[in-house]
Amino acid sequence: LGPSGHLGAPTSGRGRMAAMLGAEFRGPAMVTVCYFLVYYGFMVLQLRLRGDAERRAESRGEAFDRYSTRDKGAIMGDRTFLNSLEQMGAFLASLWLCAFCVSPDLATVLGSVAVVARLLFPVFWSRGPSGNWNMLVELSTQPYYLAVFGMLGAVALWALFDVNVTELSAGYTVLSVLGVYVLLFVLAFALGVMLHMATRGAYGNSIVGSESD
C-alpha cells in the first residue's frame, strides 16, 4: 500500500499510466471503450437472433443446430459478432500505433469512423432482400477499412519516410489517408491472390482425385 492507503504509489489522484500518457490520449482511450461496447452489444444481438431462429425452427417442427442452421437471422447475428471479433486485433493495433507514432487526434477521428461503421454493419445487412447480405453492407465495411488502413498507412509513412501526415495541410492529410487506404487495399488483395495461386494446387488436386474415385 502507498502512503495514502491505496494500492501502488500515489499519482496525484490519477493512475500512473494515465499520468504517463497525458490528456491527449483520452480520445483513443474512449474510442477503445466504444469499440468494446459495440462488441458486447453484438454479442447480445447474436444471442437474441439465435433464440429467434430456434423458435422459428421449433414452430416448423424442426431441430435447431446453431452450427449448421441456414436461418438468415442467425447467420447475420453470427457474422456480425464474429466479424467484430476477427477485426478487433487489427483495429486496436492500428488505433494505438497511430496514436503513439503519428497523432492521437488522427487516431481518434479515424477510430471513431471505424466504430460507427462497425455499428452499422448489422443494420445494413438486415436491409437486404429477406434479410440477406447485400451491397449496402459495403457502406459499413469500406469506411471501416478506410479508417484502419488510413491509420496503418500513416504509421507506415512515419516509419519509412519520417513523414507525419498531420503536419501537412488539412487537404494533404485527407489525400494521404485516402491514398494509403487504396494502396494498402491493393497490396493486401495482391498478396492474397499470390498466396491463393501458391496454395490452390494442393486442394484442387485433392478434389479432382476424390471425384475420380
mmCIF file of all heavy atoms in Angstrom, residues 188-204 207:
data_model
loop_
_atom_site.group_PDB
_atom_site.id
_atom_site.type_symbol
_atom_site.label_atom_id
_atom_site.label_comp_id
_atom_site.label_asym_id
_atom_site.label_seq_id
_atom_site.Cartn_x
_atom_site.Cartn_y
_atom_site.Cartn_z
ATOM 1 N N ALA A 188 -2.835 -5.662 -50.134
ATOM 2 C CA ALA A 188 -3.399 -6.804 -49.414
ATOM 3 C C ALA A 188 -4.110 -7.752 -50.382
ATOM 4 O O ALA A 188 -3.988 -8.981 -50.270
ATOM 5 C CB ALA A 188 -4.358 -6.322 -48.327
ATOM 6 N N PHE A 189 -4.852 -7.177 -51.336
ATOM 7 C CA PHE A 189 -5.553 -8.004 -52.314
ATOM 8 C C PHE A 189 -4.550 -8.772 -53.173
ATOM 9 O O PHE A 189 -4.719 -9.977 -53.420
ATOM 10 C CB PHE A 189 -6.435 -7.130 -53.203
ATOM 11 C CG PHE A 189 -7.269 -7.904 -54.183
ATOM 12 C CD1 PHE A 189 -8.467 -8.479 -53.792
ATOM 13 C CD2 PHE A 189 -6.845 -8.071 -55.496
ATOM 14 C CE1 PHE A 189 -9.243 -9.197 -54.699
ATOM 15 C CE2 PHE A 189 -7.606 -8.798 -56.404
ATOM 16 C CZ PHE A 189 -8.806 -9.367 -56.004
ATOM 17 N N ALA A 190 -3.497 -8.092 -53.627
ATOM 18 C CA ALA A 190 -2.481 -8.748 -54.456
ATOM 19 C C ALA A 190 -1.776 -9.857 -53.685
ATOM 20 O O ALA A 190 -1.506 -10.939 -54.229
ATOM 21 C CB ALA A 190 -1.472 -7.715 -54.952
ATOM 22 N N LEU A 191 -1.485 -9.612 -52.407
ATOM 23 C CA LEU A 191 -0.843 -10.638 -51.586
ATOM 24 C C LEU A 191 -1.754 -11.852 -51.444
ATOM 25 O O LEU A 191 -1.297 -12.998 -51.547
ATOM 26 C CB LEU A 191 -0.513 -10.058 -50.214
ATOM 27 C CG LEU A 191 0.131 -11.018 -49.212
ATOM 28 C CD1 LEU A 191 1.458 -11.542 -49.746
ATOM 29 C CD2 LEU A 191 0.319 -10.321 -47.863
ATOM 30 N N GLY A 192 -3.045 -11.609 -51.234
ATOM 31 C CA GLY A 192 -3.988 -12.718 -51.121
ATOM 32 C C GLY A 192 -4.079 -13.529 -52.398
ATOM 33 O O GLY A 192 -4.144 -14.768 -52.358
ATOM 34 N N VAL A 193 -4.066 -12.843 -53.548
ATOM 35 C CA VAL A 193 -4.118 -13.537 -54.836
ATOM 36 C C VAL A 193 -2.868 -14.393 -55.029
ATOM 37 O O VAL A 193 -2.954 -15.557 -55.461
ATOM 38 C CB VAL A 193 -4.263 -12.524 -55.983
ATOM 39 C CG1 VAL A 193 -4.065 -13.211 -57.337
ATOM 40 C CG2 VAL A 193 -5.633 -11.849 -55.937
ATOM 41 N N MET A 194 -1.705 -13.853 -54.695
ATOM 42 C CA MET A 194 -0.463 -14.621 -54.849
ATOM 43 C C MET A 194 -0.439 -15.832 -53.929
ATOM 44 O O MET A 194 -0.010 -16.924 -54.322
ATOM 45 C CB MET A 194 0.738 -13.711 -54.580
ATOM 46 C CG MET A 194 0.999 -12.700 -55.676
ATOM 47 S SD MET A 194 2.552 -11.788 -55.465
ATOM 48 C CE MET A 194 2.184 -10.826 -54.003
ATOM 49 N N LEU A 195 -0.905 -15.664 -52.700
ATOM 50 C CA LEU A 195 -0.960 -16.796 -51.781
ATOM 51 C C LEU A 195 -1.953 -17.851 -52.272
ATOM 52 O O LEU A 195 -1.712 -19.061 -52.129
ATOM 53 C CB LEU A 195 -1.351 -16.313 -50.391
ATOM 54 C CG LEU A 195 -0.279 -15.494 -49.659
ATOM 55 C CD1 LEU A 195 -0.852 -14.887 -48.382
ATOM 56 C CD2 LEU A 195 0.930 -16.370 -49.328
ATOM 57 N N HIS A 196 -3.050 -17.400 -52.872
ATOM 58 C CA HIS A 196 -4.017 -18.335 -53.431
ATOM 59 C C HIS A 196 -3.403 -19.143 -54.563
ATOM 60 O O HIS A 196 -3.557 -20.371 -54.642
ATOM 61 C CB HIS A 196 -5.246 -17.561 -53.932
ATOM 62 C CG HIS A 196 -6.284 -18.430 -54.545
ATOM 63 N ND1 HIS A 196 -6.803 -18.201 -55.806
ATOM 64 C CD2 HIS A 196 -6.910 -19.542 -54.081
ATOM 65 C CE1 HIS A 196 -7.691 -19.134 -56.090
ATOM 66 N NE2 HIS A 196 -7.788 -19.949 -55.066
ATOM 67 N N MET A 197 -2.666 -18.463 -55.424
ATOM 68 C CA MET A 197 -2.016 -19.153 -56.539
ATOM 69 C C MET A 197 -0.965 -20.144 -56.055
ATOM 70 O O MET A 197 -0.766 -21.202 -56.650
ATOM 71 C CB MET A 197 -1.388 -18.125 -57.477
ATOM 72 C CG MET A 197 -2.392 -17.242 -58.205
ATOM 73 S SD MET A 197 -1.602 -15.927 -59.164
ATOM 74 C CE MET A 197 -0.692 -16.897 -60.363
ATOM 75 N N ALA A 198 -0.296 -19.790 -54.951
ATOM 76 C CA ALA A 198 0.764 -20.652 -54.434
ATOM 77 C C ALA A 198 0.229 -21.870 -53.689
ATOM 78 O O ALA A 198 0.939 -22.867 -53.539
ATOM 79 C CB ALA A 198 1.672 -19.846 -53.504
ATOM 80 N N THR A 199 -1.018 -21.819 -53.234
ATOM 81 C CA THR A 199 -1.543 -22.904 -52.393
ATOM 82 C C THR A 199 -2.713 -23.670 -52.990
ATOM 83 O O THR A 199 -3.010 -24.780 -52.540
ATOM 84 C CB THR A 199 -2.009 -22.331 -51.034
ATOM 85 O OG1 THR A 199 -3.010 -21.319 -51.263
ATOM 86 C CG2 THR A 199 -0.836 -21.710 -50.278
ATOM 87 N N ARG A 200 -3.364 -23.124 -54.019
ATOM 88 C CA ARG A 200 -4.599 -23.735 -54.501
ATOM 89 C C ARG A 200 -4.382 -25.105 -55.130
ATOM 90 O O ARG A 200 -5.284 -25.947 -55.131
ATOM 91 C CB ARG A 200 -5.282 -22.813 -55.511
ATOM 92 C CG ARG A 200 -4.491 -22.622 -56.802
ATOM 93 C CD ARG A 200 -5.130 -21.631 -57.756
ATOM 94 N NE ARG A 200 -6.428 -22.077 -58.224
ATOM 95 C CZ ARG A 200 -7.136 -21.445 -59.146
ATOM 96 N NH1 ARG A 200 -6.665 -20.336 -59.701
ATOM 97 N NH2 ARG A 200 -8.305 -21.909 -59.527
ATOM 98 N N GLY A 201 -3.205 -25.359 -55.664
ATOM 99 C CA GLY A 201 -2.951 -26.616 -56.366
ATOM 100 C C GLY A 201 -3.170 -27.836 -55.497
ATOM 101 O O GLY A 201 -3.739 -28.835 -55.942
ATOM 102 N N ALA A 202 -2.729 -27.778 -54.255
ATOM 103 C CA ALA A 202 -2.859 -28.936 -53.373
ATOM 104 C C ALA A 202 -4.322 -29.303 -53.165
ATOM 105 O O ALA A 202 -4.692 -30.475 -53.185
ATOM 106 C CB ALA A 202 -2.191 -28.642 -52.037
ATOM 107 N N TYR A 203 -5.164 -28.316 -52.994
ATOM 108 C CA TYR A 203 -6.566 -28.575 -52.707
ATOM 109 C C TYR A 203 -7.339 -28.884 -53.977
ATOM 110 O O TYR A 203 -8.275 -29.694 -53.959
ATOM 111 C CB TYR A 203 -7.171 -27.384 -51.967
ATOM 112 C CG TYR A 203 -6.376 -27.064 -50.732
ATOM 113 C CD1 TYR A 203 -5.473 -25.993 -50.718
ATOM 114 C CD2 TYR A 203 -6.477 -27.846 -49.604
ATOM 115 C CE1 TYR A 203 -4.719 -25.726 -49.601
ATOM 116 C CE2 TYR A 203 -5.724 -27.586 -48.473
ATOM 117 C CZ TYR A 203 -4.841 -26.522 -48.479
ATOM 118 O OH TYR A 203 -4.089 -26.264 -47.376
ATOM 119 N N GLY A 204 -6.948 -28.290 -55.085
ATOM 120 C CA GLY A 204 -7.591 -28.623 -56.349
ATOM 121 C C GLY A 204 -7.333 -30.056 -56.741
ATOM 122 O O GLY A 204 -8.230 -30.763 -57.195
ATOM 123 N N ILE A 207 -9.471 -32.482 -54.753
ATOM 124 C CA ILE A 207 -10.862 -32.512 -55.193
ATOM 125 C C ILE A 207 -11.006 -33.370 -56.439
ATOM 126 O O ILE A 207 -11.889 -34.217 -56.537
ATOM 127 C CB ILE A 207 -11.375 -31.075 -55.467
ATOM 128 C CG1 ILE A 207 -11.446 -30.289 -54.161
ATOM 129 C CG2 ILE A 207 -12.736 -31.099 -56.145
ATOM 130 C CD1 ILE A 207 -11.792 -28.835 -54.360
#
